[in-house]
Amino acid sequence: MKVTLRKAVIAVAALNLAYFGIEFAVARAIGSVSLFADSIDFLEDASLNFLIAIALGWSATNRARLGMALAGILLIPGLATLWTAWRSSWRRCRPRPLP
């Protein structure tokens, strides 16, 4: 059961990571803050899933420590979005619809 669950979690993490790459590249190409924020969310999902796959066999104490680390990871997308929005607000140009 754990092996099947671990494989499923790793597959989901890999798909999230792949879609992060695609969406990040498009966001950079057209200068879209919204797509950038969404791509960071996919990166966050991928990292959380990889950490969960690793922690499936850990003790309760170590899983609790991991939970604290995951809470910190959840702050990263919000901070990245705020930084990108602040940077873009000074540029005063709209995103290009096509690269």
Side-chain angles (χ1 to χ4, degrees):
M1 172 76 174
K2 278 188 182 181
V3 174
T4 307
L5 178 61
R6 181 170 285 144
K7 284 181 182 180
V9 171
I10 290 172
V12 168
L15 290 170
N16 276 320
L17 190 60
Y19 201 73
F20 157 75
I22 293 167
E23 201 165 32
F24 183 79
V26 172
R28 294 275 302 167
I30 68 171
S32 172
V33 175
S34 176
L35 274 180
F36 173 77
D38 197 44
S39 73
I40 295 299
D41 185 50
F42 277 105
L43 180 61
E44 173 198 22
D45 291 345
S47 10
L48 292 176
N49 281 312
F50 278 128
L51 287 172
I52 289 168
I54 291 169
L56 281 175
W58 289 1
S59 69
T61 305
N62 287 334
R63 286 194 312 262
R65 288 183 184 137
L66 177 65
M68 296 293 274
L70 295 178
I73 290 173
L74 290 174
L75 292 174
I76 295 170
L79 295 173
T81 301
L82 286 174
W83 176 75
T84 305
W86 179 81
R87 215 177 96 211
S88 292
S89 69
W90 292 103
R91 231 181 337 177
R92 298 183 196 264
C93 65
R94 286 181 242 145
R96 296 181 309 264
L98 298 173

